[in-house]
Amino acid sequence: MPVYVDYDVPADLAESALEALEVARDTGTVRKGTNETTKAIERGNAELVLIAEDVSPEEIVMHLPELAEEKGIAYVFVGAQDDVGHAAGLEVGSAAAAIVDAGEADDQVEDIASKVAELK
């Protein structure tokens, strides 16, 4: 397990987060990539942050969990960069993504955020 992963995410919760990202991509607003995700968190715009567990070097996303904690934003770890990238609408992997406006996935994002709070 990478250094920055501070809790285990059940497979169904990770899958649910990816589905929410796909719905938000189509009906709301998402930010893709570490830089855009970092900006969304710093500005307090992000509703949910997805971070891939297979990022190398780890330093690329190591700051995201701590930053999200400071801002009170829920974050979830997903197995692979490819999964995050495809759910965000990219043809390549993405180390991180943020849901800024959940659109039709609003209830799903709230549900994920409450489950994440229970895991910590």
Side-chain angles (χ1 to χ4, degrees):
M1 183 154 47
V3 177
Y4 58 88
V5 177
D6 49 11
Y7 63 92
D8 274 332
V9 177
D12 61 330
L13 184 59
E15 196 61 43
S16 180
L18 287 169
E19 286 172 19
L21 182 60
E22 286 181 28
V23 173
R25 173 193 76 205
D26 295 335
T27 62
T29 312
V30 297
R31 297 282 174 253
K32 308 159 200 141
T34 307
N35 289 343
E36 285 194 33
T37 299
T38 301
K39 288 181 210 167
I41 296 170
E42 286 174 340
R43 293 174 181 154
N45 296 341
E47 294 180 22
L48 179 67
V49 175
L50 287 80
I51 305 167
E53 290 183 11
D54 65 346
V55 179
S56 178
E58 295 177 352
E59 288 79 11
I60 294 171
V61 293
M62 198 178 266
H63 65 286
L64 292 176
E66 192 176 325
L67 196 57
E69 281 287 334
E70 281 177 25
K71 296 288 186 175
I73 297 169
Y75 58 96
V76 64
F77 298 103
V78 181
Q81 294 183 59
D82 285 344
D83 295 340
V84 177
H86 292 299
L90 300 171
E91 290 187 20
V92 295
S94 177
I99 296 175
V100 175
D101 173 15
E104 292 175 11
D106 211 24
D107 293 338
Q108 200 174 1
V109 169
E110 285 179 30
D111 183 47
I112 293 165
S114 66
K115 287 180 181 172
V116 165
E118 291 171 19
L119 287 173
K120 291 187 205 169

